[in-house]
Amino acid sequence: MPEYFKIQIETWRYHDGTAYIEFIDGTLTRQVTHVGERWLSSRRDHDEDVGPLLTDQPLQPGEFDEEDCITVSEFEVAWNRAIAHEDAS
């Protein structure tokens, strides 16, 4: 069953950002990281300024709050924006 979350993060270089995360059956499958003007997808493993673009940790019960939950549509908008941003670079 897919589950989607949006959380505030801090990058390796101490910049604030947002991560959009997709889990399917408890396994992290895709992630979008938005920092400033940058939109990054988990199609790449790592970004020098941000760090890992897909964590390797499975979903843990109680890991996210109810307000962290988002819809598949909200995730897909972020995913498509990241893909477009990367493909334009």
Side-chain angles (χ1 to χ4, degrees), residues 3 5 21-29 31 54-64:
E3 296 179 79
F5 302 95
I21 307 167
E22 174 189 65
F23 288 94
I24 296 180
D25 296 327
T27 300
L28 184 59
T29 53
Q31 181 174 321
L54 185 67
T55 126
D56 61 356
Q57 299 300 309
L59 180 62
Q60 300 296 319
E63 181 175 0
F64 298 103

Side-chain angles (χ1 to χ4, degrees), residues 12-79:
W12 280 14
R13 299 205 186 219
Y14 308 106
H15 298 288
D16 292 331
T18 304
Y20 299 79
I21 307 167
E22 174 189 65
F23 288 94
I24 296 180
D25 296 327
T27 300
L28 184 59
T29 53
R30 294 186 294 169
Q31 181 174 321
V32 172
T33 305
H34 177 220
V35 179
E37 297 297 315
R38 299 183 71 203
W39 287 86
L40 305 160
S41 78
S42 57
R43 294 189 306 174
R44 294 188 341 211
D45 294 328
H46 186 270
D47 180 83
E48 186 176 302
D49 294 325
V50 173
L53 297 176
L54 185 67
T55 126
D56 61 356
Q57 299 300 309
L59 180 62
Q60 300 296 319
E63 181 175 0
F64 298 103
D65 295 327
E66 187 68 30
E67 61 266 12
D68 298 331
C69 294
I70 60 172
T71 65
V72 61
S73 297
E74 187 174 350
F75 178 85
E76 291 298 339
V77 166
W79 179 259

